Amino acid sequence: MKLAMIGFGQAGGKIVDKFLEYDERTGSGIVRSAIAVNSARADLLGLERIPEEHRVLIGQARVKGHGVGADNELGAEIAEEDIDEVQGAVDNIPVHEIDAFLIVAGLGGGTGSGGSPVLAKHLKRIYTEPVYGLGVLPGGDEGGIYTLNAARSFQTFVREVDNLLVFDNDAWRKTGESVEGGYDKINDEIVRRFGVLFGAGEVSAGDNVAESVVDSSEIINTLSGGGVSTVGYDAESVQPQNSGGLLSRFKGGNNTEVDSASTTSRITSLVRKAALGRLTLPCEIDGVERALLVVSGPPQHLNRKGIERGRKWLEEQTGSMEVRGGDYPLNEPNVAAAVLLSGVHNVPRIKELQQVAIEAQENIDTIQSESEENLETLVEDEEDELDPLF
Amino acid sequence: MSWIRSSRVVVLAVLLALALGVAGTAMAIDFNEDNVPEEAEVGTTETVTVSYDVDQNSPSTVEAESDLDDAVVSITASGPGAEESDSGETAEVEVDPDQHSEVEIEANGDIPEITEFDYENPDTEHVMALSVREDGASVGTWEIHRYTEDSQEARQALDDAREAVEGSSSDGAQSNFDRAVTLYNSGEFESAIETAQDAQDEAESEGQMLQLLLTGGAVLGVVALIGGGVYYWRSRQQDTYKLQ
Ligand SMILES: Nc1nc2c(ncn2[C@@H]2O[C@H](COP(=O)(O)OP(=O)(O)O)[C@@H](O)[C@H]2O)c(=O)[nH]1
Ligand SMILES: [Mg+2]
């Protein structure tokens, strides 16, 4: 599946940069075009792979390239004011060559949090291609304002995109390690998960084309219907196979055949681990509306029975009749299962996020209303004997 | 402000609990646990027996019940010249200190299926085997930890892995272990065992590496250098992989 990726804000830019690196390294061919949008000049300069002419600085008139300081209302305003500059960069995208747009942003900050829903709304009005969001939720230790930003942006972003894929930093925080220090590793995890998923629809002619390869339309259909999505993933190493080397041809025989029972059980076990292990957004999988299973690895290690069993198992676990499945053949000594769960409803983390956000909002309101009084008592003398200058 | 308020609530709750606790222990019975298995396999038949010496001053009603499958509960109050007993799904006996000196209470039944697995809170997997009330107030409850062959094997694998993981600083081992716990809790024991073993392997291989580096001197330094080179070479090789 070919995507036009737009990284909004610092986190968004860094993650899109990582996608480019992954694409380059693995030859996945997912990112057709990449754009970074930010109100902070320094953040744009910090990017490595997004071409400089695709880096758009917005809000210069208002914040002079210094960012919006986690004020996402301001983020939304300047995105709206400077949407033409963003569109200028989007104009360079060969839209007929892409399957969808993907807007990536950290929802806890200011620029990406406020701007990405604005951009989604704009793109949807202009293009017929689906517009997806990849929203990153802040870690629980980041504080009330980030949580409040995320809760408000989440609500708006879900409404404006065709599907919001969510990654929760909080679930991926290692104990005793601040998220800050771990962003690099976390970003690798993000990119691997979504990379395998989107890469599945991008099997090139040179690869081994199997019977049941996942294609872009299956990803799009799983995401259509909207709502919120999460991804589960698990991988395992397997013995590298010498497929069709001179020596093995000489020996004849079928030494590249892999025991089919163990192949099946490896796949089903990977599917379970993927769906029951850590999801990008932890949630109850019971009641999920649609799902897509992608099993990837060397063709000798993929079989239809395993994928079919994994798919059936997902149907049982989710209670959904709309579970798609297929393979993504790759020549590398690993087998992996990626599970896209679309239309999730039972997400305790979101409820918790909203609760904390409401508390933060109330706290801010109280302090604001008290602050005027407090300032008054400070500035005015008690008997009101002093007069202001003018 | 809200912190103060909530801490007040906590203090109140603690006081209340203490008060109730005191009331509860005022008539505590000192049970002998004649036969109380700590754990049992689902489907097996188990018996729990407790008894106590009567030292109350006035007559009391003793009742017993059990959550075991097809449970039969019995209470026998006996003394030099009298015996009173009752048995059935639940049992109830009037204990009269003038006549009875000892009370024996027993529950027999099958260990029921486990409805919820929880590695970190094994209590969740317990079944209430016997519960005794005196004049309507609970005076004792005995629970048995239950398991199936698979769940026990998985719990054991997780215990082993936990030990290894706790002694290491490997993030991969820790996250594999967390996943194994999730799998265990959802009843996926086969996968839980596999994942726990992965975690253990990872933790131990890291431990061995550490050992090697710690005990080694200059010679090992060279070995490590070569090892590092190989690792670097391999990771360079792997760089083009998509899946892990
Ligand atoms: N996963 C991930 N999250 C990030 C990264 N950088 C920042 N974040 C998260 O994104 C949120 C928004 O930060 P940022 O993108 O800097 O805000 P913006 O530049 O104003 O849009 C933070 O609260 C973090 O939770 C990153 O590199 N990776
Ligand atoms: Mg920032």
Side-chain angles (χ1 to χ4, degrees):
Chain A
M1 173 153 185
K2 289 235 181 290
L3 297 169
M5 290 196 187
I6 301 154
F8 218 126
Q10 189 181 20
K14 270 158 66 187
I15 293 169
V16 170
D17 225 39
K18 264 272 193 275
F19 267 112
L20 284 175
E21 183 198 316
Y22 173 89
D23 235 9
E24 219 171 89
R25 197 180 69 217
T26 63
S28 291
I30 312 165
V31 192
R32 181 62 190 83
S33 308
I35 294 174
V37 184
N38 211 320
S39 61
R41 183 178 285 111
D43 289 350
L44 288 177
L45 288 174
L47 300 170
E48 286 171 14
R49 286 188 167 70
I50 299 174
E52 267 168 45
E53 64 276 17
H54 288 182
R55 303 179 190 178
V56 185
L57 184 65
I58 55 168
Q60 237 174 319
R62 291 184 61 174
V63 301
K64 318 257 179 294
H66 295 310
V68 297
D71 178 348
N72 65 350
E73 282 184 21
L74 181 56
E77 275 171 37
I78 63 175
E80 218 152 304
E81 286 163 13
D82 287 355
I83 197 73
D84 290 343
E85 313 209 1
V86 183
Q87 180 59 44
V90 175
D91 281 338
N92 294 324
I93 298 175
V95 176
H96 56 279
E97 287 179 27
I98 65 164
D99 296 302
F101 291 94
L102 182 69
I103 304 174
V104 187
L107 303 189
T111 308
S113 171
S116 48
V118 171
L119 176 60
K121 186 175 184 173
H122 171 83
L123 291 178
K124 280 203 54 129
R125 223 182 38 226
I126 299 189
Y127 300 100
T128 53
E129 281 72 16
V131 177
Y132 302 130
L134 170 51
V136 177
L137 299 181
D141 57 354
E142 284 187 50
I145 181 73
Y146 293 90
T147 308
L148 177 58
N149 284 346
R152 295 181 70 197
S153 174
F154 174 83
Q155 215 173 51
T156 325
F157 208 12
V158 173
R159 193 185 67 201
E160 298 303 336
V161 291
D162 288 298
N163 200 300
L164 183 63
L165 304 149
V166 181
F167 185 93
D168 183 7
N169 277 346
D170 199 49
W172 291 77
R173 191 169 37 144
K174 303 265 163 53
T175 34
E177 184 183 306
S178 75
V179 188
E180 267 327 304
Y183 277 148
D184 230 29
K185 277 193 212 155
I186 286 186
N187 291 351
D188 282 335
E189 299 285 354
I190 295 177
V191 167
R192 180 168 312 116
R193 276 162 180 72
F194 293 102
V196 169
L197 192 69
F198 292 126
E202 216 32 60
V203 179
S204 62
D207 298 325
N208 316 274
V209 177
E211 317 162 54
S212 51
V213 176
V214 173
D215 66 33
S216 303
S217 65
E218 280 166 306
I219 303 170
I220 291 173
N221 288 339
T222 305
L223 291 172
S224 77
V228 175
S229 294
T230 182
V231 174
Y233 186 79
D234 201 54
E236 197 173 279
S237 319
V238 292
Q239 283 300 317
Q241 290 290 319
N242 185 355
S243 59
L246 191 60
L247 198 61
S248 70
R249 231 175 274 170
F250 239 76
K251 283 190 202 148
N254 48 0
N255 56 347
T256 55
E257 284 284 315
V258 182
D259 174 26
S260 114
S262 71
T263 299
T264 309
S265 80
R266 176 184 295 113
I267 293 175
T268 49
S269 143
L270 279 171
V271 174
R272 284 161 196 239
K273 287 197 233 173
L276 299 171
R278 192 156 38 159
L279 301 170
T280 57
L281 172 66
C283 67
E284 293 296 329
I285 74 171
D286 187 19
V288 163
E289 287 173 18
R290 295 167 305 279
L292 172 68
L293 166 64
V294 176
V295 181
S296 182
Q300 313 91 293
H301 286 278
L302 302 179
N303 73 14
R304 193 165 239 175
K305 196 162 154 204
I307 297 171
E308 197 40 38
R309 272 213 214 152
R311 209 189 55 75
K312 282 260 161 59
W313 180 83
L314 277 172
E315 275 185 357
E316 279 165 30
Q317 296 293 306
T318 57
S320 162
M321 297 307 285
E322 210 180 328
V323 179
R324 296 174 170 84
D327 54 39
Y328 175 22
L330 284 176
N331 284 321
E332 63 172 79
N334 298 307
V335 176
V339 177
L340 167 64
L341 302 165
S342 172
V344 300
H345 296 294
N346 191 345
V347 194
R349 167 76 170 115
I350 297 290
K351 290 293 137 197
E352 177 201 308
L353 187 86
Q354 288 165 342
Q355 199 48 49
V356 176
I358 292 167
E359 279 162 27
Q361 178 73 68
E362 284 168 358
N363 178 278
I364 290 168
D365 291 347
T366 325
I367 288 179
Q368 221 158 39
S369 68
E370 280 172 5
S371 122
E372 275 171 41
E373 278 172 44
N374 291 347
L375 183 63
E376 188 130 325
T377 29
L378 171 71
V379 175
E380 298 294 327
D381 54 300
E382 266 170 48
E383 308 291 314
D384 205 11
E385 287 162 295
L386 299 173
D387 291 324
L389 268 177
F390 50 82
Chain B
M1 258 192 322
S2 75
W3 181 82
I4 294 174
R5 206 178 331 120
S6 69
S7 72
R8 251 185 224 154
V9 172
V10 170
V11 169
L12 265 180
V14 168
L15 286 177
L16 197 65
L18 277 176
L20 286 174
V22 169
T25 50
M27 2 178 219
I29 294 179
D30 196 6
F31 284 98
N32 304 312
E33 302 191 336
D34 303 325
N35 177 37
V36 181
E38 234 169 71
E39 54 175 14
E41 186 171 351
V42 168
T44 57
T45 309
E46 296 293 332
T47 305
V48 176
T49 314
V50 300
S51 61
Y52 67 90
D53 296 330
V54 178
D55 58 2
Q56 281 82 347
N57 297 325
S58 50
S60 61
T61 308
V62 175
E63 296 162 273
E65 58 182 15
S66 167
D67 282 349
L68 297 178
D69 278 344
D70 302 322
V72 176
V73 181
S74 63
I75 305 176
T76 308
S78 55
E83 187 174 289
E84 174 101 15
S85 75
D86 182 32
S87 75
E89 273 178 57
T90 62
E92 180 179 326
V93 160
E94 298 296 328
V95 176
D96 179 354
D98 292 341
Q99 296 184 50
H100 303 134
S101 56
E102 196 199 1
V103 177
E104 188 179 88
I105 306 159
E106 192 170 279
N108 175 283
D110 301 339
I111 303 295
E113 292 289 339
I114 306 168
T115 46
E116 199 186 332
F117 292 95
D118 192 331
Y119 175 70
E120 266 133 358
N121 304 300
D123 292 5
T124 320
E125 296 165 3
H126 289 358
V127 59
M128 191 277 284
L130 176 64
S131 159
V132 177
R133 276 178 300 167
E134 184 189 45
D135 293 331
S138 174
V139 285
T141 300
W142 289 268
E143 296 193 332
I144 300 178
H145 182 249
R146 56 193 154 154
Y147 57 84
T148 64
E149 202 179 312
D150 294 342
S151 81
Q152 190 186 34
E153 199 187 326
R155 182 173 280 282
Q156 185 59 49
L158 277 156
D159 287 345
D160 294 347
R162 166 138 77 185
E163 211 167 292
V165 170
E166 271 170 1
S168 95
S169 61
S170 157
D171 290 339
Q174 181 63 48
S175 76
N176 262 332
F177 179 76
D178 294 344
R179 237 179 301 158
V181 171
T182 311
L183 288 163
Y184 176 94
N185 293 348
S186 40
E188 299 286 332
F189 301 120
E190 213 178 301
S191 312
I193 292 169
E194 263 178 49
T195 312
Q197 273 158 1
D198 289 351
Q200 191 173 348
D201 290 349
E202 216 167 322
E204 279 166 0
S205 73
E206 190 227 37
Q208 281 159 5
M209 176 73 104
L210 217 62
Q211 196 84 38
L212 195 73
L213 289 175
L214 284 176
T215 49
V219 180
L220 282 181
V222 173
V223 172
L225 212 64
I226 295 170
V230 169
Y231 178 76
Y232 178 65
W233 176 75
R234 286 198 46 189
S235 64
R236 284 286 303 247
Q237 291 290 101
Q238 267 192 343
D239 248 351
T240 58
Y241 294 158
K242 294 177 189 174
L243 303 179
Q244 61 176 355

